[in-house]
Amino acid sequence: MTAEPPTAGPHTPQPVAADAERAARAGRPRHDHAADWMFCGVYGTVLASGLLAALDEKGGTYTPFSDASWVLVTAITAALAHGYAHHMSGHRQDPSRRRWRLLAGELWHEWPMVAAALPTVLLLVLAGVFGWEAPGTTAVGLGLNTALLFGWGTALSLHGGSRLLSALAVGAADAAIGFAIIVANALIK
């Protein structure tokens, strides 16, 4: 009797047929790398934007190096938690070595989430080095992340085979998330 491949969860991207077949033969989770990048890239960029907005408090002490550390640690923690949750949601009774290999694979596929937070981390480090003020750094960071969200959506939609106008619409929808964070930051502060 052969074991059935793991079932896809509600957030698991649908793989390309050749990738799915290869993954099924190898007995590991199937991944569509472009979809992983899209999901994790958007998630990591939105996470970094939210943290950047939350860490900038009027009247508080501005600590860009500490803020950069918090953004990076939070992105890593979120990536690990997300990969672990994916692993556990598709968990089956497998030999322990295989289970650990599958977990490592799920965790590895979350690295784009951390990579997506790095522009914000770099911006905060530069703010600390050059003494940039918090309001300007936050505004630039939120604008940069909104542009990155547009880029994530557009590029990956084009990679997925969408036409240019459809891809630009996806990019605009992703950028709307960044714009919503900018508006919320302005209203809350």
Side-chain angles (χ1 to χ4, degrees):
M1 180 173 189
T2 60
E4 292 182 26
T7 58
H11 299 292
T12 303
Q14 295 304 311
V16 178
D19 292 341
E21 186 178 321
R22 244 189 321 269
R25 281 195 311 266
R28 62 182 191 267
R30 295 167 246 185
H31 287 278
D32 175 352
H33 298 293
D36 286 347
W37 267 94
M38 175 69 170
F39 180 82
C40 292
V42 169
Y43 193 102
T45 304
V46 169
L47 178 68
S49 293
L51 288 167
L52 180 62
L55 291 170
D56 173 29
E57 282 194 40
K58 290 191 188 316
T61 304
Y62 181 50
T63 56
F65 293 118
S66 177
D67 291 354
S69 298
W70 272 113
V71 171
L72 183 60
V73 166
T74 303
I76 291 169
T77 303
L80 291 173
H82 193 259
Y84 180 73
H86 265 259
H87 174 71
M88 293 309 291
S89 69
H91 184 69
R92 297 179 316 140
Q93 292 298 332
D94 288 318
S96 65
R97 261 189 284 164
R98 184 169 184 270
R99 188 175 329 135
W100 287 107
R101 255 192 345 259
L102 292 173
L103 174 60
E106 287 291 349
L107 295 176
W108 173 249
H109 284 286
E110 300 298 325
W111 76 266
M113 187 181 306
V114 178
L118 292 179
T120 302
V121 171
L122 179 61
L123 177 68
L124 288 166
V125 168
L126 290 173
V129 169
F130 294 108
W132 298 338
E133 296 295 320
T137 302
T138 300
V140 167
L142 293 176
L144 170 68
N145 286 345
T146 299
L148 287 172
L149 286 168
F150 178 80
W152 278 116
T154 303
L156 291 169
S157 186
L158 285 170
H159 176 77
S162 295
R163 294 179 187 251
L164 181 60
L165 286 178
S166 295
L168 290 172
V170 170
D174 284 0
I177 299 168
F179 184 69
I181 293 171
I182 291 170
V183 170
N185 186 51
L187 293 175
I188 292 170
K189 299 195 174 170

